[in-house]
Amino acid sequence: MESKIKEFMNLVKKRDQHEPEFLQAVQEVAETVIPYIASQNIYNGKNILLRMVEPERVLMFRVPWIDDNGEIVVNRGYRIEMNSAIGPYKGGLRFHPSVNLSILKFLAFEQVFKNALTTLPMGGGKGGSDFDPKGKSDGEIMRFCQSFMSELFRHIGPNTDVPAGDIGVGGREIGYLFGMYKKLRNEFTGVLTGKGMSWGGSLIRPEATGYGAVYFAQNMLETKKDTIEGKTVVISGSGNVAQYACEKATQLGAKVVTLSDSSGYIYDEDGIDAEKLAFVMELKNIKRGRISEYVKKYPSAKFFAGEKPWGIACEAAMPCATQNELNGDDANTLLKNGCIVVSEGANMPSTPEAIEAFHAAKILYAPGKASNAGGVATSGLEMSQNSLRINWTREEVDERLKKIMSDIHDSCIKYGRQDDGYIDYVRGANISGFVKVADAMLAQGVV
Ligand code: NDP
């Protein structure tokens, strides 16, 4: 089996050797899915995984715009349309200076499995730009979004490709992107998700990724007859996912003691309660400030510049910032300090060494493609509401979200339970997602 996996990876490496994040995401899937394929006659010899690692389409385009000083700036725009076997391409847009083809291909590849896990009819895609929104004025953000959409609009549509937000793309950016799409197409459709409530958005969509990751942690803990209530939780990031993970964990009786951004982390031993979180939300979403300002407002908390929060003792860890933010050493520190559950809000935040450490210690560990799927699932619910031209209540959407997270958890158990009873959620998520997409691809022929 080892040699089959190696042979497959060599094929992928030959084409994509300069894409480390993409290779990392493919390797993880290959290690779990190739042995499964070998055990199932219907997939054998069909090169399904080889077809899945090749995007159906990659779009790369120039995004010129004019900054507040009148200078012309040129960024690069991307959309990876990875797989449409089970529905229109669906996945977020990331605006961050680190964005490149490798990062977007890894995200698009993971998205295919994640979207299949939600049970909703959504294919996988991802896009974005190396544009850095930090420090830009509202006018600059708007002009950039308009230029970005002036190319993207011809490739997307409610039945083709439905982008959403991701790092650097929140409600404000979705508004500018949607406005430009509507103007160019002269139609009001559900082509983006994460829209505002008065123009086609869904209740609970902003909260969904963070809430879903906490629901998933709760589902995992229930397998041990345990609960998140009373647990100390360490969260990284302070953006959309981190904020709502913090909110839900606190609502369920846990104590969240850290948040971070790219400049460092804050540790609040007393817990980040609703009032303190409201301050963080205003700081990050409206004032667009830095997390270090938290300690000015709450002096009993501490700020650690340039560090990550994984050294703080906790029972639950939720990485909610970015890929590869938690390495093998961090994982060992968490384990040493008594961490028993890790639910990823971010995509691929744990390195392969960290995942190995969690598995070796047999703690509850959920990969982002399972635990953060609540965001895209609720985007799927936004699409349904747009098609039906109705709005569900907050309670209705939240109930559906909970049910979807619990169903994803069940799928992970179905394919991930090992002989000794330990649940390998990575294996479970990968095989479950693979089966759904692979069956559709088999039925649709070689296309
Ligand atoms: P936001 O832009 O709202 O927040 C991102 C947070 O992560 C910020 O605190 C940011 O700090 C920090 N961060 C970003 N890049 C880095 C980096 N290179 N090093 C250290 N910190 C960093 O993004 P989201 O909350 O939406 O996304 C967070 C993660 O969740 C991403 O991995 C995303 O792919 C994933 N995700 C998001 C979903 C969603 O619905 N939004 C759905 C599923 C997954 P700073 O402000 O300093 O940059």
Side-chain angles (χ1 to χ4, degrees):
M1 196 48 62
E2 284 291 306
S3 66
K4 272 195 173 168
I5 296 169
K6 210 164 168 198
E7 202 182 310
F8 174 80
M9 285 310 300
N10 283 340
L11 280 174
V12 185
K13 278 181 193 157
K14 215 164 133 190
R15 279 179 172 166
D16 299 322
Q17 55 185 313
H18 302 301
E19 296 176 0
E21 291 87 0
F22 179 60
L23 292 175
Q24 182 184 335
V26 173
Q27 173 90 36
E28 183 213 276
V29 167
E31 279 171 8
T32 47
V33 166
I34 289 178
Y36 179 76
I37 292 175
S39 72
Q40 305 289 313
N41 268 339
I42 52 164
Y43 305 124
N44 240 326
K46 301 286 190 332
N47 274 350
I48 300 255
L49 199 55
L50 199 59
R51 288 192 256 164
M52 286 173 75
V53 297
E54 199 56 29
E56 289 178 14
R57 194 174 297 107
V58 173
L59 305 158
M60 224 165 118
F61 50 95
R62 177 171 68 202
V63 190
W65 57 282
I66 299 178
D67 72 12
D68 285 348
N69 299 321
E71 297 285 332
I72 297 168
V73 187
V74 180
N75 283 103
R76 187 171 282 178
Y78 303 85
R79 186 71 184 164
I80 317 292
E81 297 185 334
M82 198 77 194
N83 193 302
S84 62
I86 63 168
Y89 309 106
K90 180 90 198 88
L93 296 171
R94 177 176 292 192
F95 293 168
H96 194 272
S98 65
V99 161
N100 58 33
L101 207 49
S102 172
I103 288 180
L104 293 181
K105 277 178 66 184
F106 114 65
L107 288 163
F109 183 68
E110 294 247 304
Q111 196 82 44
V112 173
F113 293 81
K114 182 191 308 194
N115 293 4
L117 279 171
T118 66
T119 71
L120 301 174
M122 299 182 289
K126 200 84 190 187
S129 173
D130 58 358
F131 172 72
D132 186 359
K134 269 200 207 91
K136 302 286 188 301
S137 69
D138 254 9
E140 289 177 322
I141 298 281
M142 183 179 76
R143 290 194 294 282
F144 172 81
C145 288
Q146 290 177 339
S147 178
F148 184 83
M149 187 51 88
S150 72
E151 174 57 37
L152 189 67
F153 85 99
R154 54 185 115 248
H155 308 290
I156 61 175
N159 297 311
T160 318
D161 185 349
V162 185
D166 190 77
I167 291 178
V169 179
R172 173 181 62 168
E173 291 75 18
I174 293 290
Y176 294 146
L177 291 163
F178 182 76
M180 195 61 180
Y181 178 86
K182 184 166 67 62
K183 181 183 169 85
L184 292 168
R185 279 286 170 105
N186 192 27
E187 54 182 38
F188 194 112
T189 53
V191 71
L192 288 153
T193 55
K195 298 186 290 296
M197 272 317 296
S198 60
W199 40 282
S202 171
L203 287 163
I204 301 283
R205 175 60 190 93
E207 294 90 335
T209 309
Y211 277 21
V214 174
Y215 293 151
F216 202 90
Q218 190 73 305
N219 291 144
M220 289 197 287
L221 285 161
E222 275 163 16
T223 66
K224 305 267 181 208
K225 309 220 172 334
D226 202 348
T227 160
I228 193 100
E229 195 182 341
K231 301 267 181 303
T232 299
V233 185
V234 161
I235 294 179
S236 65
S238 51
N240 172 268
V241 180
Q243 290 170 14
Y244 288 105
C246 178
E247 179 167 283
K248 184 50 71 181
T250 308
Q251 283 171 2
L252 294 179
K255 183 166 84 164
V256 177
V257 292
T258 65
L259 287 172
S260 73
D261 63 19
S262 53
S263 54
Y265 78 92
I266 56 111
Y267 172 50
D268 187 338
E269 201 181 353
D270 303 328
I272 301 162
D273 61 16
E275 185 210 311
K276 292 171 181 174
L277 181 62
F279 168 79
V280 172
M281 287 182 172
E282 193 182 334
L283 173 72
K284 298 303 282 188
N285 309 347
I286 296 164
K287 296 187 178 149
R288 301 196 183 265
R290 310 304 298 154
I291 198 67
S292 54
E293 291 166 52
Y294 183 97
V295 298
K296 285 186 202 142
K297 172 87 177 164
Y298 303 106
S300 63
K302 292 191 186 76
F303 174 65
F304 296 87
E307 287 185 41
K308 291 175 183 166
W310 313 124
I312 299 293
C314 65
E315 285 104 23
M318 299 189 66
C320 295
T322 194
Q323 65 276 355
N324 292 328
E325 56 166 316
L326 196 165
N327 64 25
D329 291 342
D330 299 325
N332 286 321
T333 307
L334 281 169
L335 292 167
K336 190 174 73 177
N337 287 338
C339 180
I340 56 163
V341 57
V342 178
S343 183
E344 295 183 342
N347 286 309
M348 210 169 73
S350 305
T351 63
E353 296 74 28
I355 298 173
E356 214 179 302
F358 294 144
H359 279 164
K362 295 206 182 281
I363 65 157
L364 299 165
Y365 163 71
K369 62 170 84 82
S371 49
N372 73 30
V376 73
T378 310
S379 277
L381 301 179
E382 182 173 330
M383 288 163 76
S384 304
Q385 293 170 80
N386 290 163
S387 299
L388 296 165
R389 297 191 191 283
I390 56 165
N391 291 318
W392 292 324
T393 63
R394 219 182 137 78
E395 290 71 28
E396 270 176 297
V397 181
D398 198 27
E399 271 317 301
R400 284 174 204 262
L401 170 63
K402 271 188 205 151
K403 170 84 171 61
I404 289 171
M405 296 317 293
S406 155
D407 288 348
I408 295 173
H409 185 262
D410 289 347
S411 308
C412 290
I413 291 185
K414 181 175 172 193
Y415 291 103
R417 195 187 286 283
Q418 295 181 338
D419 293 343
D420 63 358
Y422 178 66
I423 301 157
D424 179 341
Y425 288 88
V426 175
R427 185 167 186 273
N430 287 343
I431 297 177
S432 176
F434 170 81
V435 166
K436 186 161 183 203
V437 178
D439 287 352
M441 288 175 75
L442 278 183
Q444 292 167 18
V446 181
V447 288

